[in-house]
């Protein structure tokens, strides 16, 4: 009610987004020359998709009962969406701090409809993680510091997306080829053996970003990058941070003339942020060949 006056209930919804079989994504992590982009960002920006669906849901309710008070949220305000979803019975918050559904895993987005309708309240879901520690064990930067506790400062999703400055040197090697976000805690969660690829075409990969060489991505100028990321959540980091991230991944790749040429092409970039990470990447290859 402090966020939206008059609110008495929250309708919590989920929408599956896994674009492909998990085995393909896991295999991509082992190919140092190719980019790994978090699966949620391969298609259309989820904010737009879910908000549109929630507004359509509100209109359908209005068609049946008349006007009512509501407001749509999709990762767009101080809404504790995972806690709300857990209380709504959509799943439980796992040890990696993502929501898990026992029948379909965790590859889904969350959205909310705050409303003044006094709807019936659902029963919350209980945790079913048990003694499993797969997500904790597999995290590349050890960001899950304890069960149900994530240190965002170590998380690759934070480091490659939210972080606006240099990526701390201590984490660069662990990032591997992940240039936008990280899915490891989901890819290796046993509950995701039940996950199925989504039928939602809006979440299908665009511009071949689900399987593309790092050197190609590093060659994109700003105009090309804007064209290839139109309507995508990737737009939020901007071209400079995109190149920062790709430079780190190139530094972690196997040394080849193609990789080295790509890095050398931006060694004199106008951005100090990019140059710093390019130089680090070149130093990595120099030390590997020493």
């Amino acid at each position: 009610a402090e966020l939206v006056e008059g609110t008495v209930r929250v309708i919590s919804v989920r929408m599956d987004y896994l674009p492909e079989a998990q085995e393909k994504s896991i295999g991509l992590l082992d190919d140092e020359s190719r980019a790994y982009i978090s699966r949620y960002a391969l298609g259309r920006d989820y904010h737009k998709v879910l908000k549109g669906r929630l507004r359509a849901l509100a209109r359908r309710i209005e068609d049946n009962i008349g006007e009512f008070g509501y407001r749509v949220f999709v990762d767009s305000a101080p809404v504790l969406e995972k806690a709300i979803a857990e209380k709504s019975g959509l799943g439980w918050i796992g040890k990696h701090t993502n929501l898990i559904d026992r029948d379909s895993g965790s590859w889904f987005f969350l959205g909310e409809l705050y409303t003044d309708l006094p709807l019936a309240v659902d029963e919350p879901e209980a945790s079913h993680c048990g003694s499993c520690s797969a997500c904790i064990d597999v995290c590349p930067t050890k960001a899950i510091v304890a069960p149900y506790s994530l240190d965002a400062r170590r998380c690759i999703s934070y480091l490659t997306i939210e972080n606006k400055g240099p990526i701390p040197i201590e984490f660069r090697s662990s990032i591997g080829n992940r240039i936008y976000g990280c899915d490891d805690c989901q890819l290796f969660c046993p509950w995701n053996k039940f996950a199925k690829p989504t039928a939602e075409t809006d979440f299908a990969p665009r511009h071949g970003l689900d399987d593309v060489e790092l050197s190609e991505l590093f060659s994109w100028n700003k105009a090309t990058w804007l064209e290839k990321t139109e309507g995508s959540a990737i737009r939020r980091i901007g071209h400079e941070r995109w190149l920062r991230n790709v430079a780190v991944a190139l530094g972690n790749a196997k040394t080849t003339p193609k990789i080295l040429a790509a890095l050398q092409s931006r060694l004199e970039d106008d951005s100090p942020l990019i140059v710093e990470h390019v130089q680090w990447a070149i130093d990595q290859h120099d030390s590997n060949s020493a």
Side-chain angles (χ1 to χ4, degrees):
E2 292 180 13
L3 186 61
V4 182
E5 187 176 353
T7 297
V8 296
R9 294 288 186 272
V10 179
I11 300 174
S12 180
V13 304
R14 49 167 274 206
M15 194 170 181
D16 296 348
Y17 69 82
L18 183 64
E20 61 192 10
Q22 293 183 121
E23 290 73 19
K24 181 179 178 181
S25 300
I26 293 173
L28 191 60
L29 287 173
D30 295 326
D31 190 339
E32 297 174 345
S33 66
R34 310 189 84 77
Y36 187 91
I37 294 173
S38 189
R39 306 293 88 174
Y40 84 84
L42 291 174
R44 188 179 177 215
D45 189 339
Y46 69 95
H47 299 86
K48 299 175 182 178
V49 179
L50 263 72
K51 281 184 177 180
R53 296 298 180 88
L54 281 164
R55 292 187 182 107
L57 172 61
R59 289 193 295 269
R60 290 186 64 179
I61 295 174
E62 284 183 329
D63 289 343
N64 283 275
I65 68 168
E67 290 187 4
F68 69 103
Y70 70 89
R71 183 173 169 186
V72 167
F73 292 102
V74 179
D75 196 19
S76 55
V79 173
L80 298 177
E81 58 182 10
K82 288 182 285 188
I84 289 171
E86 185 176 55
K87 288 181 177 293
S88 301
L90 292 185
W92 72 94
I93 297 175
K95 292 179 180 178
H96 49 24
T97 73
N98 292 312
L99 200 76
I100 305 174
D101 174 70
R102 69 166 75 202
D103 296 319
S104 54
S106 62
W107 298 98
F108 50 80
F109 297 120
L110 296 172
E112 298 78 36
L113 197 66
Y114 277 42
T115 176
D116 59 3
L117 298 175
L119 302 171
V121 176
D122 291 300
E123 291 297 318
E125 177 63 281
S127 175
H128 300 285
C129 285
S131 61
C132 179
S133 62
C135 59
I136 299 173
D137 299 336
V138 79
C139 179
T141 55
K142 305 304 177 186
I144 306 172
V145 294
Y148 314 104
S149 182
L150 179 77
D151 184 344
R153 297 166 299 181
R154 303 180 67 91
C155 180
I156 293 175
S157 287
Y158 166 77
L159 293 170
T160 58
I161 300 174
E162 307 297 340
N163 170 40
K164 296 180 180 180
I167 294 174
I169 293 176
E170 63 182 298
F171 300 127
R172 293 180 189 177
S173 295
S174 300
I175 286 174
N177 62 344
R178 302 165 186 83
I179 66 166
Y180 187 94
C182 179
D183 292 326
D184 287 42
C185 61
Q186 296 193 89
L187 285 170
F188 298 97
C189 173
W191 285 103
N192 271 324
K193 65 185 177 183
F194 301 116
K196 299 289 191 300
T198 181
E200 176 52 58
T201 56
D202 273 333
F203 298 144
R206 299 180 174 188
H207 303 295
L209 288 175
D210 57 325
D211 189 11
V212 61
E213 289 193 356
L214 291 165
S215 55
E216 178 183 340
L217 299 182
F218 207 53
S219 70
W220 288 0
N221 58 28
K222 189 170 184 178
T224 301
W225 182 81
L226 287 171
E227 175 191 346
K228 299 288 190 181
T229 59
E230 184 176 3
S232 166
I234 295 172
R235 277 280 185 94
R236 67 185 298 184
I237 67 171
H239 185 235
E240 182 183 39
R241 278 189 274 167
W242 168 267
L243 293 176
R244 174 201 64 184
N245 296 347
V246 179
V248 170
L250 286 168
N252 293 325
K254 182 179 179 181
T255 305
T256 66
K258 190 173 186 179
I259 295 292
L260 292 176
L263 288 167
Q264 289 289 347
S265 71
R266 292 194 180 274
L267 190 53
E268 297 183 5
D269 195 276
D270 292 335
S271 165
L273 182 68
I274 294 171
V275 172
E276 175 192 339
H277 291 76
V278 167
Q279 186 61 64
W280 174 86
I282 292 174
D283 291 344
Q284 291 296 105
H285 289 286
D286 288 344
S287 63
N288 290 338
S289 60

